[in-house]
């Protein structure tokens, strides 16, 4: 899977841009504020229907425009897919895949598996469990077709259960919902657990290359203690749930534990090392998807050179290119990338005041 053409209209400071991307490494360079991150953000927006920078999607629409338009052509083996997206300021979004209207945005994510590594996204991974859960769920979603519906159902029932708790419902009223909740929660947990196991197998080798001297441990925690059955837990914690007005533990509290020895990774590693750990996690995810479904991810790496020394830039670029996936990297100076590569980038683009130019 690779993106051969990308056209952008009224996205951030980019009024119009047309990129014919290469299937390997695409280098986007330019000064601060030129629009580099915005290009990656536009690709992400096409894949997810939202931004990785702002939860307010209207902020990505150019200040002088009413709507933004994105178009991409994807290539997979000999098959072409055309994706068009229009987002209005009032929140309306229209998506077409090969000319047909799409209702569910999850279809987009299935069509373009995107891996994004930005300074913000990697900080997030060490701040709270939400981003780490999203990381696991990205993989669970792509690797098991049952996951999405099971997770949607789990969340729906949890919402209903919490509503009942706020209304001081009796345990027998809640028990009716719990039966269904347990069934979906167990399904979700099983898929997540299996996913992290498979990921770990690949991750070890990559971490060894990036951080050979550090003993990093990555494990899955399901969101409640490991000894109690979920149905039993729901019964046990009912009085507490009732007093707090929500379900205290469960699959909505699942996490990916990243530890160095006895310490959380963020307390034991430098920023550069944390960045490498995140890159290792994302690369392992992409490799696993390739192994499991023969599907290539698209990598978006914003400001790749920052916080990394020359040796680690080289290692990271080597691992990324070895995945065989299409990669978009940004940098201020092109030499910071080119000098760390063994062969020249597939394509280079220069960005200046929102204008994108292909460099021969
Ligand atoms: N909605 C918007 N409309 C117009 N310009 C915007 C909008 N949002 C952000 N910008 C501007 O777009 C420019 C490009 O930002 P960015 O892509 O982050 O640059 P870079 O990554 O190259 O440093 C910034 O100068 C920013 O102020
Ligand atoms: Mg930027």
């Amino acid at each position: 899977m690779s993106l051969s053409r990308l056209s952008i209209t009224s996205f951030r400071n980019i009024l119009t841009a047309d990129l014919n991307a290469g299937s390997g490494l695409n280098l986007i360079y330019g000064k601060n504020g030129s629009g580099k991150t915005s290009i990656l953000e536009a690709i992400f927006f096409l894949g997810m229907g939202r931004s990785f920078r702002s939860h307010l999607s209207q902020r990505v629409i150019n200040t002088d425009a009413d709507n933004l338009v994105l178009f991409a052509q994807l290539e997979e083996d000999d098959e072409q897919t055309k994706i068009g997206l229009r987002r209005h300021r009032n929140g309306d979004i229209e998506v077409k895949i090969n000319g047909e209207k799409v209702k569910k945005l999850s279809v987009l994510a299935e069509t373009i598996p995107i891996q994004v590594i930005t300074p913000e996204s990697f900080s997030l991974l060490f701040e709270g469990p939400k981003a780490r859960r999203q990381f696991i769920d990205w993989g669970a979603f792509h690797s098991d077709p049952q996951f999405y519906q099971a997770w949607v159902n789990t969340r729906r029932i949890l919402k209903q259960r919490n509503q009942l708790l706020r209304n001081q419902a009796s345990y027998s009223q809640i028990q009716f919902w719990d039966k269904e909740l347990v069934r979906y929660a167990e399904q979700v947990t099983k898929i997540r657990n299996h996913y992290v196991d498979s990921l770990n197998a690949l991750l070890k080798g990559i971490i060894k290359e990036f951080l050979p001297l550090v003993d990093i441990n990555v494990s899955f925690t399901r969101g409640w203690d490991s000894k109690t059955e979920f149905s039993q837990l729901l019964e046990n914690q009912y009085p507490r749930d009732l007093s707090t007005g929500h379900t205290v533990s469960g699959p909505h509290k699942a996490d990916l534990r990243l530890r160095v020895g006895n310490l959380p990774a963020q307390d034991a590693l430098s920023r550069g090392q944390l960045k490498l750990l995140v890159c290792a996690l994302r690369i392992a995810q992409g490799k696993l998807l390739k192994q499991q479904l023969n599907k290539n991810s698209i990598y978006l790496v914003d400001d790749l050179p920052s916080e990394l020394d020359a040796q680690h830039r080289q290692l990271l670029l080597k691992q990324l290119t070895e995945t065989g996936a299409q990669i978009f990297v940004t940098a201020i100076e092109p030499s910071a990338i080119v000098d760390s590569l063994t062969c020249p980038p597939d394509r280079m683009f220069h960005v200046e005041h929102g204008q994108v130019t292909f460099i021969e």
Side-chain angles (χ1 to χ4, degrees):
M1 161 81 56
S2 73
L3 203 154
S4 56
R5 217 191 117 202
L6 172 70
S7 110
I8 304 173
T9 311
S10 304
F11 194 98
R12 299 267 189 206
N13 70 333
I14 302 171
L15 300 183
T16 60
D18 242 306
L19 284 83
N20 288 309
S23 60
L25 185 99
N26 296 275
L27 168 58
I28 299 163
Y29 70 93
K31 291 191 181 127
N32 287 330
S34 57
K36 304 179 296 295
T37 304
S38 302
I39 297 174
L40 302 191
E41 199 180 13
I43 300 173
F44 186 89
F45 206 94
L46 254 180
M48 305 292 280
R50 64 178 172 86
S51 164
F52 58 70
R53 277 204 281 197
S54 165
H55 65 283
L56 296 174
S57 284
Q58 75 242 33
R59 292 218 180 126
V60 301
I61 301 173
N62 180 271
T63 37
D64 296 330
D66 287 329
N67 56 68
L68 66 84
V69 181
L70 300 170
F71 171 81
Q73 190 165 307
L74 297 163
E75 318 282 329
E76 172 127 64
D77 304 323
D78 285 335
E79 240 180 273
Q80 281 189 345
T81 310
K82 292 189 164 100
I83 302 185
L85 181 152
R86 185 189 294 270
R87 173 76 160 70
H88 298 267
R89 219 167 255 292
N90 67 6
D92 289 351
I93 190 162
E94 295 150 36
V95 179
K96 281 187 182 169
I97 298 183
N98 291 331
E100 300 230 352
K101 270 199 177 165
V102 173
K103 287 217 179 76
K104 282 203 309 202
L105 286 179
S106 65
V107 177
L108 272 183
E110 267 168 52
T111 314
I112 326 182
I114 292 182
Q115 287 291 355
V116 53
I117 304 166
T118 71
E120 297 80 14
S121 76
F122 98 73
S123 302
L124 258 181
L125 216 57
F126 298 104
E127 270 162 24
K130 190 174 166 207
R132 292 189 293 270
R133 208 160 35 241
Q134 277 173 352
F135 171 86
I136 302 174
D137 289 351
W138 186 98
F141 171 82
H142 283 289
S143 72
D144 195 321
Q146 312 243 297
F147 180 78
Y148 181 70
Q149 205 50 50
W151 184 223
V152 167
N153 290 338
T154 304
R155 279 207 309 218
R156 176 178 51 82
I157 304 169
L158 272 170
K159 218 168 139 189
Q160 281 160 342
R161 187 180 197 270
N162 291 342
Q163 189 57 50
L164 285 169
L165 288 166
R166 279 193 293 277
N167 294 338
Q168 298 292 306
S170 69
Y171 185 65
S172 59
Q173 279 173 298
I174 286 189
Q175 211 176 15
F176 172 79
W177 294 102
D178 281 358
K179 276 209 191 88
E180 232 194 347
L181 177 58
V182 166
R183 189 158 65 89
Y184 291 121
E186 279 173 352
Q187 203 183 355
V188 162
T189 304
K190 198 171 149 204
I191 298 172
R192 282 174 169 165
N193 199 1
H194 179 70
Y195 179 73
V196 176
D197 277 349
S198 318
L199 189 75
N200 249 325
L202 277 168
L203 190 60
K204 290 214 166 80
I206 306 169
I207 289 183
K208 210 177 232 167
E209 234 183 83
F210 284 176
L211 302 156
L213 303 174
V214 195
D215 170 32
I216 296 174
N217 193 297
V218 177
S219 61
F220 172 66
T221 55
R222 60 184 185 170
W224 70 96
D225 75 83
S226 56
K227 288 174 211 90
T228 317
E229 294 273 333
F230 192 44
S231 54
Q232 188 61 52
L233 175 101
L234 288 171
E235 196 179 330
N236 296 351
Q237 80 178 12
Y238 167 72
R240 200 160 144 226
D241 286 353
L242 197 65
S243 68
T244 56
H246 67 267
T247 311
V248 175
S249 25
H252 53 301
K253 294 288 170 74
D255 200 355
L256 187 75
R257 292 213 323 171
L258 306 166
R259 298 186 76 84
V260 177
N262 293 325
L263 289 173
Q266 64 269 36
D267 296 341
L269 300 178
S270 73
R271 283 214 25 115
Q273 287 176 314
L274 288 174
K275 177 165 176 171
L276 288 166
L277 174 56
V278 172
C279 291
L281 285 163
R282 300 269 177 215
I283 290 169
Q285 271 200 322
K287 281 189 168 174
L288 187 57
L289 189 66
K290 176 81 184 171
Q291 258 183 20
Q292 288 179 331
L293 300 176
N294 197 26
K295 230 178 179 180
N296 263 324
S297 309
I298 296 177
Y299 280 91
L300 310 177
V301 191
D302 199 19
D303 207 357
L304 184 141
S306 73
E307 304 187 82
L308 300 180
D309 56 45
Q311 184 212 346
H312 286 103
R313 282 176 198 177
Q314 235 170 32
L315 270 175
L316 173 56
L317 282 163
K318 175 177 153 276
Q319 280 283 352
L320 276 170
T321 43
E322 270 176 16
T323 61
Q326 187 181 32
I327 308 157
F328 291 85
V329 304
T330 72
I332 295 170
E333 295 295 339
S335 59
I337 298 291
V338 177
D339 295 352
S340 301
L341 287 167
T342 45
C343 55
D346 208 350
R347 301 272 160 96
M348 285 213 273
F349 301 92
H350 179 230
V351 198
E352 199 172 12
H353 305 305
Q355 301 245 12
V356 186
T357 323
F358 171 62
I359 303 293
E360 298 274 350

